[in-house]
Every structure is written in structure tokens, then in C-alpha cells.
Amino acid sequence: MEPKYKPNANPWAIFRCFEPTRQVCVARFRRRSEADGHIKTLRRMIPDASFQVVFDSQGDNQG
């Protein structure tokens, strides 16, 4: 029986950028609008941090 879910159901991700070679995924979302709303909150809560919304088609299924 095949699974009834998509392998990457949450392709939109928010990454916190610490330096050019170090980024950490802090959240994943099914829709871009959800990610955009959440990043606004993060930017208000942590104004000195750098965040970026990306479409991550590979997700956590890499390698």
C-alpha cells in the first residue's frame, strides 16, 4: 500500500542566516503566505537577525 502523503508536503521554509556559509531552517510551511506571515513575526521578535523565505523542493529528504 502506497503512502497517502506527499514526500515534501511543506516546501516553503524559513532559514535564519548567521553568516554566508551557515544557515539554519527554523520552520517549514505548506503555503508561501503562511511563511510570509511567520517571518514578519520573527523579524519583529528578533530584529537583529537575518531571515529568508525559500522554496526548498528537496526538503529534509536530501541524501
Side-chain angles (χ1 to χ4, degrees), residues 12-34:
W12 292 99
I14 296 178
F15 282 84
R16 182 171 179 180
C17 307
F18 291 98
E19 46 192 65
T21 59
R22 185 169 169 241
Q23 298 88 24
V24 176
C25 180
V26 295
R28 294 192 163 275
F29 301 91
R30 188 174 298 249
R31 294 177 188 85
R32 169 75 191 246
S33 60
E34 295 171 343

Side-chain angles (χ1 to χ4, degrees), residues 24-51:
V24 176
C25 180
V26 295
R28 294 192 163 275
F29 301 91
R30 188 174 298 249
R31 294 177 188 85
R32 169 75 191 246
S33 60
E34 295 171 343
D36 287 337
H38 194 78
I39 201 169
K40 287 179 185 178
T41 302
L42 286 171
R43 287 178 174 157
R44 279 195 308 259
M45 293 173 62
I46 314 170
D48 294 335
S50 176
F51 295 99

